[in-house]
Amino acid sequence: MKQDKKGNQYRINEQIRVREVRIVGENGSTVVPTRQALDMARDEGVDLVEISPNANPPVCRLIDYSKFLYQQKKRAKEMKQKQVKQEVKEIRFGPQTDEHDYNFKLKHAKEFLEEGNKVRAYVFFRGRSILFKEQGEVLLLRFANDLEEYGKVDQMPSLEGKKMFLYMSPKKAGVAKKSQQKRDREQAEADAKEQAKGKDQRVKEIDAEAPANGGMFANIKNGEDILAKLKSESEE
């Protein structure tokens, strides 16, 4: 019996010792005596490969065995690529975490969930701080509420020893994290748009300050030239 590198075994040709088999292909399927199936494979210059031994009768294909193994390997690789690798990311708090630290960790938790990872947040009670366990529970519930758009709660806050845990899973399938180069490019584009918007606003303000009679520039020497120069600088 031939065996591929993965350890999966397939009976082929004379190794198939049942009375009849079902041949499947592009044109459907048909049940024929095994001897006839072997003759068909021989005529086509391929192998008779048993792909479903537990069916009644067993299902076979007429295909070159090496090509069959390649197809199996390719299919397994494609399925693996479609699977999202999911990790469990930890977020640690103290019972009296300040607002800045809370927001910093909340930001990271959002990124973890957006990437398709699970989040395990916990409050660690050191020494007598266990007296503030209610405060820790409130913090974790606030944390879950702030992440409602990004994840769902798998387990509500529960105390285990000196730690109170909260478990969350992403709502959406994970997506590939943007590269630093792509993030920098998007930021540069956003900055350019904002700068252009600011220039347009400045032109409008100058126009508002300079009515048909020259406005605030009317009584200034070379006022019209100054106005034109300001507009030119704003449009650059």
Side-chain angles (χ1 to χ4, degrees):
M1 184 180 296
K2 292 188 178 181
Q3 182 173 346
D4 66 14
K5 294 180 179 179
K6 294 182 180 179
N8 295 325
Q9 297 177 337
Y10 300 93
R11 284 191 288 266
I12 70 169
N13 300 328
E14 285 75 14
Q15 296 171 347
I16 305 172
R17 301 182 182 278
V18 294
R19 177 177 297 181
E20 58 184 13
V21 295
R22 180 180 296 276
I23 304 296
V24 295
E26 296 179 357
N27 299 323
S29 67
T30 181
V31 177
V32 298
T34 303
R35 179 51 57 187
Q36 182 180 340
L38 289 169
D39 291 339
M40 293 167 60
R42 190 176 300 109
D43 291 342
E44 295 183 20
V46 295
D47 297 300
L48 179 66
V49 182
E50 185 182 61
I51 60 174
S52 183
N54 296 325
N56 186 22
V59 179
C60 297
R61 287 182 62 189
L62 300 177
I63 187 173
D64 181 87
Y65 187 63
S66 298
K67 182 179 180 180
F68 172 76
L69 292 182
Y70 171 77
Q71 290 178 347
Q72 294 294 98
K73 183 177 180 180
K74 183 179 179 181
R75 187 177 295 109
K77 183 178 180 180
E78 290 175 349
M79 291 180 62
K80 185 176 181 180
Q81 289 176 342
K82 291 180 180 179
Q83 293 177 348
V84 177
K85 185 178 180 181
Q86 191 176 62
E87 299 179 1
V88 178
K89 302 290 188 177
E90 282 196 344
I91 301 290
R92 171 176 171 170
F93 293 103
Q96 296 178 320
T97 299
D98 61 39
E99 193 68 15
H100 175 76
D101 190 32
Y102 173 84
N103 289 328
F104 178 77
K105 293 178 178 179
L106 180 67
K107 178 183 176 182
H108 281 290
K110 289 178 180 178
E111 292 176 354
F112 294 150
L113 291 170
E114 286 180 329
E115 292 168 11
N117 297 307
K118 291 189 175 185
V119 169
R120 177 171 62 187
Y122 68 93
V123 179
F124 179 69
F125 300 98
R126 188 188 303 275
R128 294 177 60 85
S129 66
I130 192 68
L131 298 174
F132 299 98
K133 63 180 181 179
E134 290 82 5
Q135 189 171 338
E137 182 177 7
V138 170
L139 186 150
L140 290 177
L141 291 174
R142 175 193 174 188
F143 184 72
N145 184 67
D146 289 342
L147 292 173
E148 183 179 8
E149 181 181 348
Y150 304 90
K152 57 184 179 180
V153 176
D154 293 332
Q155 179 181 316
M156 296 297 284
S158 61
L159 188 63
E160 300 177 20
K162 295 184 177 181
K163 297 179 181 179
M164 181 174 287
F165 290 95
L166 170 76
Y167 293 86
M168 298 190 69
S169 295
K171 278 190 174 180
K172 300 178 181 179
V175 294
K177 189 175 182 179
K178 294 180 181 178
S179 66
Q180 185 62 46
Q181 183 179 6
K182 185 173 183 179
R183 290 200 298 270
D184 291 344
R185 184 172 66 253
E186 290 177 348
Q187 184 62 47
E189 292 173 353
D191 292 343
K193 289 181 180 179
E194 190 65 27
Q195 187 176 2
K197 183 179 179 181
K199 288 182 177 180
D200 290 342
Q201 182 63 29
R202 188 178 176 191
V203 170
K204 292 179 181 178
E205 291 174 354
I206 292 173
D207 287 339
E209 295 171 354
N213 62 359
M216 62 181 288
F217 296 95
N219 298 323
I220 300 177
K221 185 178 180 180
N222 300 325
E224 293 182 358
D225 293 338
I226 295 173
L227 176 60
K229 184 178 180 181
L230 285 172
K231 284 188 174 183
S232 176
E233 290 177 352
S234 298
E235 292 171 356
E236 290 180 357

